[in-house]
Amino acid sequence: MNIVDIIERKKYGNVLDAKEIDYFVQGYSKGEIPDYQISALLMAIWFRGMNKSETAELTLSMVRSGKTVDLSKINGIKVDKHSSGGVADTVSLPLVALVAANGVPVAKMSGRGLGHTGGTIDKLESIPGFQTEIPTEKFIEIVNRVGGAIVSQSGELVIADKKMYALRDVTGTVDSIPLIASSIMSKKIAAGADAIVLDVKVGDGAFMKDLDSALELAKTMVEIGDSVGRNTVAYITDMNQPLGDAIGNSIEVEEAVNVLKGKGGKRLVEVIKTLGGEMLCLGGKAKDSAEGKMLIEKSIENGAGLKKFAEIVKAQGGDPSFIDDFSKLPQAKFKIPVSSKVSGYIKEMETENIGKFAAFLGAGRMKKGDKIDLAVGIMFPKKVGDKVEEGETIATILANDKSKGEEAAEKLLSLIKFSENPVKELPLIYYKVSEKGVEKLFNE
Ligand code: URA
Ligand code: CA
């Protein structure tokens, strides 16, 4: 077997067998096959695709490229969650606390932001003292004692994904269904949870731009999860506008805490309740997802989620006093208001570009390894359908570099389209995909 033949075969649209897939995955992980050949192969996969069994083989081969986590010492059904990546997607922080508060253990391994999307680990680093690099034994101890923990995925897990994701990011091969499905599912399988809830984003600010591809991605991942005995449910949710009001790192932590204080935005809270309800159902603490949703809602109302969040912060070395005093989080020097030049209704937002602007300000990485500025970002509390008046402040740019901030404030308006006539709200949750099939959850 040799890599050139494998590239040629995929280039002509052939189906690769398990041995060929394992050959390139292990060869690349061990450094025996160079970046340029895997780049060519990834591009061939991007154009030619992979069928279900190739994608499943790729996923399992990726799992074998690194260590796996054994969570059997954690009591109960461990449920994990993963988002395919979005803008102002501050779901994980409140979600882990709310699910843990209901007695389902959450041992969550998260990643850093990439491209225009944010990452939970970066956000958490704005909390003074909070540790995200925690040895597995301590991680398990915290989950058993407190009910939940969020740590950075160990570099020893899924070596193939670490290397391939970085390569995909710079070779235009991120937005491929088999490549995203195997990337996400290999990490979830290696991280050891019993059940998995996936939030597959769709729309301008997501990797999947249309509903058909999002559905195909969701079905592919659910099938892979179920084929290895991990009960997997996916929700397809809207990313045609930022989900929450904050795009950045410390401001997203603030927003997460506000959700737990009962002051979260409607759309963000609805996604948290939906995914949380499903996690409680899979974790055996609710008879169905509707009951789970009610329990999550209750844990926001009675403060149980907030209390659990403070416990998690403390267990991971953080100082929870920021919860009552956000000035303890990194603060930007300049707050630049953006005012509307027109009166009307918000019709459309270039969400991916809004995410890129936050990255440009320093909230995200332009390239791998860049240092990010935890304090900066965009506060943008408007949603499609909202009415705005000329001169009204519709967003605030938080910057540490004044000229960059002013540039972003100027350009942000060009990413928003207005209409003189009333505009309908966007749908939020489109489909649920599980072993039972596809359930439609919105009206067209
Ligand atoms: N998130 C991942 O973890 N992998 C992808 O390929 C895309 C989004
Ligand atoms: Ca776009």
Side-chain angles (χ1 to χ4, degrees):
M1 205 175 304
N2 78 72
I3 186 68
V4 179
D5 289 346
I6 296 174
I7 297 169
E8 290 277 358
R9 279 179 31 75
K10 188 39 85 181
K11 183 179 80 178
Y12 286 109
N14 293 294
V15 173
L16 301 179
D17 66 28
K19 281 194 182 125
E20 289 171 312
I21 289 169
D22 207 46
Y23 179 86
F24 83 74
V25 171
Q26 307 311 330
Y28 185 52
S29 304
K30 290 185 195 130
E32 292 162 7
I33 301 174
D35 283 353
Y36 53 82
Q37 286 177 314
I38 299 301
S39 302
L41 180 58
L42 290 170
M43 190 55 87
I45 294 172
W46 192 94
F47 274 104
R48 292 296 192 170
M50 278 184 146
N51 68 19
K52 291 256 153 70
S53 72
E54 285 176 292
T55 308
E57 289 300 344
L58 175 60
T59 307
L60 296 179
S61 179
M62 287 171 72
V63 173
R64 289 192 297 273
S65 72
K67 289 192 178 165
T68 54
V69 183
D70 177 3
L71 295 180
S72 59
K73 288 200 188 113
I74 298 174
N75 312 314
I77 304 171
K78 282 78 67 183
V79 187
D80 203 347
K81 171 261 176 185
H82 196 90
S83 153
S84 66
V87 178
D89 178 11
T90 320
V91 169
S92 285
L93 300 184
L95 182 68
V96 169
L98 289 163
V99 172
N102 281 285
V104 172
V106 192
K108 176 132 180 59
M109 291 198 168
S110 290
R112 294 187 185 276
L114 204 59
H116 68 283
T117 68
T120 300
I121 293 303
D122 293 327
K123 295 170 201 175
L124 283 169
E125 286 180 350
S126 27
I127 300 173
F130 196 96
Q131 300 297 312
T132 57
E133 313 260 333
I134 290 179
T136 307
E137 256 164 47
K138 170 101 181 145
F139 174 48
I140 290 174
E141 183 272 318
I142 295 174
V143 178
N144 267 331
R145 179 162 50 89
V146 180
I150 310 177
V151 301
S152 180
Q153 184 180 306
S154 146
E156 296 175 322
L157 263 61
V158 202
I159 310 278
D161 182 62
K162 257 191 126 71
K163 295 189 70 175
M164 286 207 285
Y165 200 108
L167 197 56
R168 286 166 58 209
D169 193 39
V170 294
T171 55
T173 50
V174 171
D175 54 342
S176 145
I177 289 169
L179 297 179
I180 296 177
S182 56
S183 165
I184 291 178
M185 291 310 289
S186 61
K187 284 181 288 210
K188 294 295 102 180
I189 292 167
D194 305 307
I196 301 158
V197 174
L198 300 167
D199 183 4
V200 176
K201 304 287 187 189
V202 65
D204 182 75
F207 292 119
M208 295 292 107
K209 305 291 183 198
D210 61 84
L211 269 178
D212 285 346
S213 6
L215 254 180
E216 197 187 327
L217 175 62
K219 285 184 196 159
T220 305
M221 293 197 288
V222 167
E223 259 179 50
I224 293 171
D226 287 338
S227 74
V228 293
R230 316 288 174 97
N231 204 349
T232 303
V233 176
Y235 282 84
I236 297 179
T237 70
D238 184 75
M239 198 26 81
N240 283 304
Q241 60 184 344
L243 179 61
D245 297 347
I247 310 158
N249 293 280
S250 67
I251 54 175
E252 288 198 35
V253 170
E254 251 182 63
E255 184 166 34
V257 171
N258 281 333
V259 166
L260 294 169
K261 289 179 177 172
K263 295 187 280 191
K266 191 175 78 177
R267 292 173 70 90
L268 174 61
V269 170
E270 184 61 24
V271 171
I272 290 168
K273 286 196 301 198
T274 303
L275 300 178
E278 192 62 50
M279 288 171 81
L280 294 189
C281 175
L282 292 174
K285 296 287 179 187
K287 69 173 191 303
D288 54 26
S289 49
E291 188 189 56
K293 215 170 150 178
M294 267 168 43
L295 291 168
I296 296 287
E297 196 171 323
K298 217 161 127 196
S299 310
I300 297 176
E301 280 166 12
N302 65 19
L306 186 66
K307 185 161 164 275
K308 188 54 73 185
F309 185 71
E311 285 172 32
I312 294 171
V313 168
K314 194 148 175 269
Q316 294 193 228
D319 174 5
S321 68
F322 84 90
I323 290 172
D324 298 311
D325 180 4
F326 291 146
S327 73
K328 293 186 174 177
L329 296 173
Q331 300 290 316
K333 277 201 253 153
F334 304 101
K335 293 191 164 77
I336 305 164
V338 180
S339 31
S340 178
K341 295 203 167 86
V342 297
S343 293
Y345 298 85
I346 297 186
K347 188 173 159 213
E348 251 177 72
M349 300 188 195
E350 285 184 38
T351 309
E352 178 175 0
N353 285 332
I354 293 173
K356 283 183 179 162
F357 262 108
F360 161 79
L361 287 167
R365 294 181 181 77
M366 307 303 274
K367 60 178 192 304
K368 201 177 164 245
D370 277 355
K371 201 173 148 37
I372 62 172
D373 185 339
L374 297 167
V376 304
I378 305 171
M379 280 307 298
F380 186 26
K382 297 290 181 193
K383 297 284 172 260
V384 168
D386 283 357
K387 189 170 190 306
V388 303
E389 301 296 338
E390 188 184 338
E392 181 186 343
T393 298
I394 56 170
T396 307
I397 306 287
L398 305 172
N400 276 326
D401 176 325
K402 195 158 184 240
S403 68
K404 267 191 177 180
E406 281 166 353
E407 189 183 336
E410 189 58 39
K411 290 196 180 147
L412 186 68
L413 283 176
S414 70
L415 305 179
I416 305 162
K417 285 204 185 83
F418 297 91
S419 156
E420 286 176 7
N421 305 315
V423 175
K424 268 205 302 193
E425 275 181 31
L426 292 172
L428 180 59
I429 298 173
Y430 294 96
Y431 293 100
K432 171 177 172 176
V433 182
S434 70
E435 60 186 351
K436 295 193 193 108
V438 177
E439 199 181 321
K440 188 169 168 218
L441 300 168
F442 74 114
N443 301 315
E444 267 150 301

